[in-house]
Amino acid sequence: MNIVIIGGVAAGAKAASKIRRLLPNSKVSIYTDDTHVSYSSCGIPYYIQGNFEDYHSLLVRSVEEFKDMGIDVYLESKVIKILPQHQQILVCSNNNAYLVEYDKLIIATGARAYLPTIHNYTNFDNVFTVRKIEDAINIRQKMLSSNHATILGSGYIGIEMLEAFVKNGLKVTVVEKNEKIMPIFDDDMSTIIQNRLENLEGYEFEFLTNEVVSEFTGKTSVESVKTLSGKEFATDFVVICAGVVPNVEIAKEAGIVIGQTGAIKVNKLMQTSIENIYACGDCAEKKHLVSGKNVWIPLGSTANKEGRCAAMNAAGIFDQFEGVLGSAVTRCLNTTMSMTGLTEKQAIAVGFNPISVRIDKTDRVGYMPDADEIYLKVIADKVTGLLLGGQAVGAIGADKRINALTSSLLAHMTVEEFANNDFTYSPPYSPTIDPLLNAMMILRSKLHN
Amino acid sequence: MNIVIIGGVAAGAKAASKIRRLLPNSKVSIYTDDTHVSYSSCGIPYYIQGNFEDYHSLLVRSVEEFKDMGIDVYLESKVIKILPQHQQILVCSNNNAYLVEYDKLIIATGARAYLPTIHNYTNFDNVFTVRKIEDAINIRQKMLSSNHATILGSGYIGIEMLEAFVKNGLKVTVVEKNEKIMPIFDDDMSTIIQNRLENLEGYEFEFLTNEVVSEFTGKTSVESVKTLSGKEFATDFVVICAGVVPNVEIAKEAGIVIGQTGAIKVNKLMQTSIENIYACGDCAEKKHLVSGKNVWIPLGSTANKEGRCAAMNAAGIFDQFEGVLGSAVTRCLNTTMSMTGLTEKQAIAVGFNPISVRIDKTDRVGYMPDADEIYLKVIADKVTGLLLGGQAVGAIGADKRINALTSSLLAHMTVEEFANNDFTYSPPYSPTIDPLLNAMMILRSKLHN
């Protein structure tokens, strides 16, 4: 069996090593246009921040280690065409194109940064995106000799870059086109995030919300940034964190069905619409386990699981990836922000009739040292009482209340059922009644009235 | 309506304030032999440690605050008899006994320290138990002028006292009659706890396991401790943390049915076997939601919920307390220890055929600063794949993996179902695949083979 994998970051690297274990006599190859394989792109902001010194820490497995496992990795080898009728791919490397045959093909081409349409910006040498190892090295180097950074976008990556830069003493301007920062959260939670961050002393940054960059000025480098509303400010460099788009072009061209989300449509076995071709990771659609809808939520943990599932099925061993809850977490300075399931706005969009409760509690008993705030929002369907999701913002440990919700979403529990929960309690870890349970008890009362 | 509550720490205090809100025109009284009411006994070890200076922080509500709410609190008023046929209690206070009538009686007498039978020990002025505010004040005072402490028992309270004492520079000897410390955990987890603690530098303490105190020597104070195996060591004071026993004597004498666990038998409405008498908190039995058996697991969070439920029903509003999972957590120095559901030994005892997996992972991605170990054990039934429980030991955050298990136990999920979980991921919070999910995936493979 000859298995070819396109892409080798999270899903692709996982698929390769899984297949190698399942089918020791197969031929397994990874083709990637990247200069590195099998790395933690989620760790890039922490390398830039300086949480660890050597970027090699981000590399999970080197080309040599793959070689030792019997997996051939072809770096800087761009797959430019899939030829399903011949079970071949066309690879371009060093200005040389060649065909590679496959019995099973796994597409793990991932996603790339979304680039807003700003006049001429690609001409500048100090505009970065955050995806690859080179990005990490280049941004860190630039940061170390700069005083001011501009970040476009305040989602997960944007907010992580903000932390990295201000912790290194830079002034930062974050430009967000939405009305609120971290727009994936419900507006009330985004407001809390922004307030917590802006009330923090010792760092210099500002959020320009409801604001779009209209122009970069400068010669070879961006020297100042202009916004649609007429603001202008000088900057040393720009990082674009305005979202990502799935790399689906070669799949689409090969006739593989693309879902309504714009990512590759797959079934629970990670099979695409064309035989012997699988897709997994950030390039593939997922099923949302609460709404039942197809969604595109590209996350490293999901990529890992999908890579495993694609490998199992490509190797002939039945396995199903059920879907995602959209669980995510990040940190910015003093603030953890975490969510699972549907937000209130998402719940409305898919046809639920949501009811929610938001509470503000301490993360441990108030008399304990370092007790910190935790803002917790839980959302249920008004008609059925079915739990739909939750969001937590605040102290380190806010994420823990979100992970305590995921199983209940999986099990389609109601608020009433969840309110029987028995969480651990000790003064350094939570109040007597954990904030999550507390919120759920209030939501139960609200549902009864 | 005239409601009388015996005991006012957690369940009693909660019941009183809940009833007051539900029935604004009722008469609500608390009788307690204690000198304080409504306090956080779980916080006592942290007061002793010096995490906060004023013991008043432990007091949730004062007698005056209860008075303002229209609740009468009678301190140092011991209820010595319940007369169900007359709906009266006999109270003894200041060497004066008197009868009090009730329409509804809520027994929240709690538990007391179990006192091992050691010759003559009650004669000594430096032997303490850890239940009440006076204990907190006395132990802290004694600790501040001492060099060596002896702790009998290494359960939750024992291990919390150990942290308090060594953090204040004392040398400590912990005597544990079982083979392992923290004997509520499975032996393998207890061994990990002990190893982690003993490998920690900067503190002086030792665990004498499989060892029983046979004698205290000294005149008015214990000066040295002798053990059954012949050891003898000098000490400045002794704290007995050898477990607790429910205060059920007056209930039993009144003819109220006591369960096989030794605590007061109640139904889901917290009703005892005698009409108009409820019991809640540490004096009452609970139903274990995994085993379905009656158990006695006295914990502050449960007391709070049961107090609320008893109040609802006493007020004529139907409410049910479903039961407990035995979820608990504590910290000793660098080590969090947490559990929910059944341990492997408990699972065997109630007739399951358990299978388990224990893994050793980092609590966040290994390249992040302060990454710490987390040892996680998950337990399922071999026949059905039903999840039975979990234990986590290690880094702060180990407890978070346990709280992520409770809903799945409530929902009677199988390992197969749980393995579809979608936990949050970001390098500062967890590895790409959370240790809990990782353990569950391995357990799933083990179940399939």
Side-chain angles (χ1 to χ4, degrees):
Chain A
M1 178 99 83
N2 171 22
I3 293 128
V4 170
I5 300 164
I6 311 175
V9 180
K14 177 74 190 180
S17 29
K18 184 75 190 173
I19 288 195
R20 169 52 63 241
R21 276 196 296 277
L22 294 172
L23 302 177
N25 299 318
S26 61
K27 177 171 158 60
V28 182
S29 323
I30 296 176
Y31 291 85
T32 172
D33 57 356
D34 207 336
T35 52
H36 291 83
V37 72
S38 189
Y39 56 86
S40 166
S41 50
C42 302
I44 289 175
Y46 306 97
Y47 164 74
I48 293 171
Q49 180 167 162
N51 282 168
F52 47 96
E53 282 196 11
D54 186 350
Y55 76 84
H56 286 92
S57 296
L58 294 170
L59 307 180
V60 181
R61 221 171 243 140
S62 67
V63 173
E64 292 67 37
E65 286 170 296
F66 276 113
K67 188 86 192 161
D68 291 344
M69 293 168 69
I71 297 167
D72 293 317
V73 179
Y74 300 90
L75 296 179
E76 299 179 74
S77 301
K78 190 172 170 64
V79 176
I80 51 175
K81 212 177 179 64
I82 300 168
L83 307 154
Q85 65 281 30
H86 301 103
Q87 302 222 146
Q88 290 176 327
I89 57 170
L90 182 61
V91 183
C92 185
S93 171
N94 279 322
N95 295 319
N96 184 23
Y98 57 98
L99 289 168
V100 173
E101 312 229 312
Y102 67 80
D103 295 323
K104 304 277 182 182
L105 180 68
I106 298 179
I107 303 175
T109 44
R112 62 179 180 273
Y114 168 74
L115 300 173
T117 46
I118 301 168
H119 181 62
N120 260 354
Y121 85 89
T122 46
N123 297 350
F124 298 111
D125 62 7
N126 61 343
V127 177
F128 305 93
T129 58
V130 191
R131 291 295 294 177
K132 300 188 172 183
I133 297 291
E134 292 81 16
D135 301 333
I137 295 166
N138 294 337
I139 295 174
R140 177 158 171 82
Q141 202 170 8
K142 187 72 193 169
M143 175 192 77
L144 291 174
S145 63
S146 297
N147 295 311
H148 182 276
T150 300
I151 300 171
L152 267 61
S154 67
Y156 288 102
I157 312 289
I159 214 114
E160 289 166 8
M161 296 312 300
L162 170 62
E163 175 182 292
F165 296 154
V166 298
K167 285 235 175 180
N168 280 275
L170 275 70
K171 296 178 189 174
V172 179
T173 303
V174 181
V175 184
E176 169 59 57
K177 71 173 195 293
N178 291 286
E179 273 189 47
K180 303 280 179 182
I181 66 161
M182 281 301 275
I184 182 76
F185 283 76
D186 279 328
D187 285 0
D188 54 339
M189 298 304 277
S190 291
T191 302
I192 291 166
I193 295 168
Q194 188 165 346
N195 289 343
R196 259 183 82 98
L197 292 176
E198 289 180 341
N199 287 331
L200 195 61
E201 290 182 6
Y203 302 107
E204 282 191 75
F205 59 91
E206 61 172 344
F207 294 113
L208 302 181
T209 53
N210 228 338
E211 188 67 274
V212 174
V213 171
S214 55
E215 196 183 340
F216 294 137
T217 58
K219 289 175 185 171
T220 54
S221 301
V222 174
E223 286 162 21
S224 80
V225 178
K226 287 186 184 170
T227 71
L228 259 191
S229 76
K231 288 196 182 70
E232 181 168 359
F233 53 90
T235 197
D236 295 319
F237 68 105
V238 176
V239 182
I240 298 182
C241 309
V244 287
V245 285
N247 292 321
V248 300
E249 288 74 9
I250 53 165
K252 194 172 175 180
E253 205 202 325
I256 292 170
V257 173
I258 305 298
Q260 285 193 333
T261 66
I264 300 171
K265 203 175 172 73
V266 288
N267 62 14
K268 286 186 182 178
L269 285 66
M270 309 313 296
Q271 291 171 315
T272 68
S273 61
I274 294 185
E275 212 181 343
N276 295 326
I277 304 183
Y278 301 79
C280 53
D282 286 2
C283 64
E285 267 191 2
K286 299 103 182 49
K287 188 181 161 197
H288 198 293
L289 293 170
V290 177
S291 69
K293 310 274 187 199
N294 289 329
V295 291
W296 186 59
I297 304 177
L299 289 170
S301 47
T302 308
N304 195 298
K305 291 183 240 176
E306 289 183 344
R308 181 185 177 279
C309 178
M312 297 276 281
N313 289 296
I317 300 162
F318 178 78
D319 190 54
Q320 293 195 98
F321 179 70
E322 294 294 331
V324 300
L325 295 168
S327 308
V329 62
T330 195
R331 180 188 74 192
C332 185
L333 301 167
N334 67 339
T335 298
T336 293
M337 40 209 115
S338 183
M339 61 185 298
T340 190
L342 303 175
T343 60
E344 209 162 0
K345 54 193 175 190
Q346 288 170 341
I348 293 167
V350 296
F352 287 106
N353 187 358
I355 181 171
S356 71
V357 157
R358 195 186 72 233
I359 61 166
D360 170 12
K361 295 279 168 184
T362 53
D363 65 334
R364 62 199 81 183
V365 180
Y367 53 67
M368 292 300 289
D370 305 321
D372 194 2
E373 284 173 317
I374 179 164
Y375 296 87
L376 198 59
K377 180 173 182 170
V378 287
I379 301 155
D381 181 60
K382 207 182 279 179
V383 183
T384 58
L386 185 75
L387 272 168
L388 298 177
Q391 295 157 66
V393 165
I396 297 299
D399 60 309
K400 126 191 190 175
R401 277 73 192 194
I402 292 306
N403 280 335
L405 256 181
T406 63
S407 295
S408 49
L409 296 177
L410 267 192
H412 303 294
M413 282 171 86
T414 62
V415 174
E416 190 74 39
E417 289 166 334
F418 190 96
N420 294 321
N421 233 313
D422 184 15
F423 290 128
T424 64
Y425 161 60
S426 176
Y429 296 94
S430 79
T432 317
I433 300 296
D434 188 273
L436 176 60
L437 188 55
N438 203 319
M440 214 59 88
M441 287 169 164
I442 298 170
L443 186 53
R444 177 174 60 178
S445 303
K446 207 170 163 181
L447 274 164
H448 286 185
N449 297 329
Chain B
M1 178 98 85
N2 171 23
I3 293 129
V4 171
I5 299 163
I6 312 176
V9 181
K14 177 74 190 178
S17 30
K18 185 75 190 170
I19 289 193
R20 167 52 63 236
R21 276 195 298 276
L22 294 171
L23 303 177
N25 299 317
S26 62
K27 176 171 158 62
V28 183
S29 323
I30 295 175
Y31 291 84
T32 172
D33 57 356
D34 208 335
T35 52
H36 291 83
V37 73
S38 190
Y39 55 86
S40 166
S41 50
C42 302
I44 289 175
Y46 305 98
Y47 164 75
I48 293 172
Q49 181 168 161
N51 283 168
F52 48 95
E53 282 196 11
D54 186 350
Y55 76 85
H56 285 92
S57 295
L58 293 169
L59 307 180
V60 181
R61 220 171 244 141
S62 67
V63 172
E64 291 67 36
E65 286 170 296
F66 276 112
K67 189 86 192 162
D68 291 344
M69 295 169 67
I71 297 167
D72 293 317
V73 179
Y74 301 89
L75 296 178
E76 299 180 74
S77 300
K78 190 174 171 63
V79 176
I80 50 175
K81 213 178 177 67
I82 301 167
L83 307 153
Q85 66 281 29
H86 301 104
Q87 302 220 148
Q88 289 176 327
I89 57 170
L90 181 61
V91 182
C92 184
S93 172
N94 279 322
N95 295 320
N96 182 23
Y98 58 98
L99 289 168
V100 173
E101 311 229 313
Y102 67 81
D103 294 323
K104 304 277 181 183
L105 180 68
I106 298 179
I107 304 175
T109 43
R112 63 179 179 272
Y114 168 75
L115 300 173
T117 45
I118 300 167
H119 180 63
N120 260 354
Y121 86 88
T122 46
N123 297 351
F124 297 112
D125 62 8
N126 61 343
V127 178
F128 304 94
T129 58
V130 191
R131 291 294 294 179
K132 300 188 173 184
I133 296 291
E134 294 81 17
D135 301 331
I137 297 166
N138 294 337
I139 295 173
R140 177 158 171 84
Q141 200 169 11
K142 187 70 193 171
M143 175 193 75
L144 291 174
S145 62
S146 296
N147 295 311
H148 182 275
T150 300
I151 300 171
L152 267 61
S154 67
Y156 288 101
I157 312 288
I159 215 112
E160 289 165 6
M161 297 313 300
L162 170 62
E163 174 181 294
F165 296 154
V166 298
K167 284 235 175 179
N168 280 275
L170 274 71
K171 297 179 188 173
V172 179
T173 302
V174 180
V175 184
E176 169 59 57
K177 72 174 195 292
N178 291 285
E179 274 187 46
K180 304 280 178 182
I181 67 161
M182 281 301 275
I184 183 76
F185 282 76
D186 279 327
D187 285 359
D188 55 340
M189 299 303 278
S190 291
T191 301
I192 291 165
I193 295 169
Q194 187 164 348
N195 289 343
R196 258 183 83 98
L197 292 176
E198 288 180 341
N199 287 332
L200 195 62
E201 290 181 7
Y203 302 107
E204 282 192 75
F205 59 89
E206 61 171 345
F207 295 113
L208 302 180
T209 53
N210 228 337
E211 188 68 275
V212 174
V213 170
S214 55
E215 197 182 341
F216 294 136
T217 58
K219 289 176 185 168
T220 54
S221 301
V222 174
E223 287 161 20
S224 80
V225 178
K226 287 185 185 172
T227 70
L228 259 190
S229 76
K231 289 195 182 70
E232 181 168 3
F233 53 90
T235 196
D236 294 320
F237 69 105
V238 175
V239 181
I240 297 181
C241 309
V244 289
V245 284
N247 291 321
V248 299
E249 288 72 9
I250 54 166
K252 193 171 177 180
E253 204 201 327
I256 292 171
V257 173
I258 305 298
Q260 285 193 334
T261 66
I264 299 170
K265 203 176 174 73
V266 288
N267 61 15
K268 287 187 183 179
L269 285 66
M270 310 312 297
Q271 290 171 317
T272 68
S273 62
I274 294 184
E275 212 180 342
N276 296 325
I277 304 183
Y278 301 78
C280 52
D282 287 1
C283 65
E285 265 191 3
K286 298 102 184 49
K287 188 181 160 195
H288 198 293
L289 293 170
V290 177
S291 69
K293 310 275 186 195
N294 289 327
V295 291
W296 185 61
I297 304 177
L299 291 170
S301 47
T302 308
N304 196 298
K305 292 182 239 177
E306 289 182 344
R308 181 185 177 278
C309 178
M312 297 276 282
N313 289 297
I317 300 163
F318 178 78
D319 189 54
Q320 293 195 98
F321 178 71
E322 294 295 330
V324 300
L325 296 168
S327 308
V329 62
T330 195
R331 181 187 74 192
C332 185
L333 302 166
N334 66 338
T335 299
T336 293
M337 41 209 114
S338 183
M339 62 185 299
T340 190
L342 303 175
T343 60
E344 209 162 0
K345 56 193 175 191
Q346 287 169 341
I348 292 168
V350 297
F352 287 106
N353 187 359
I355 181 170
S356 72
V357 157
R358 196 186 72 234
I359 62 168
D360 170 13
K361 295 279 168 186
T362 53
D363 64 334
R364 65 198 80 182
V365 181
Y367 54 67
M368 293 300 290
D370 305 321
D372 194 1
E373 286 174 315
I374 179 164
Y375 296 86
L376 198 59
K377 180 173 182 171
V378 287
I379 301 156
D381 181 59
K382 206 182 281 179
V383 183
T384 58
L386 186 75
L387 273 168
L388 298 177
Q391 295 157 67
V393 165
I396 298 299
D399 62 308
K400 126 192 193 172
R401 277 71 192 195
I402 292 306
N403 280 335
L405 255 183
T406 62
S407 295
S408 49
L409 296 177
L410 266 192
H412 302 294
M413 281 171 87
T414 62
V415 174
E416 190 74 39
E417 290 166 333
F418 191 96
N420 295 322
N421 232 313
D422 184 15
F423 290 127
T424 64
Y425 159 60
S426 177
Y429 295 95
S430 79
T432 317
I433 299 297
D434 189 273
L436 176 59
L437 188 54
N438 203 320
M440 214 60 87
M441 287 170 164
I442 299 171
L443 186 52
R444 177 175 60 178
S445 304
K446 207 170 163 182
L447 275 164
H448 285 183
N449 297 329

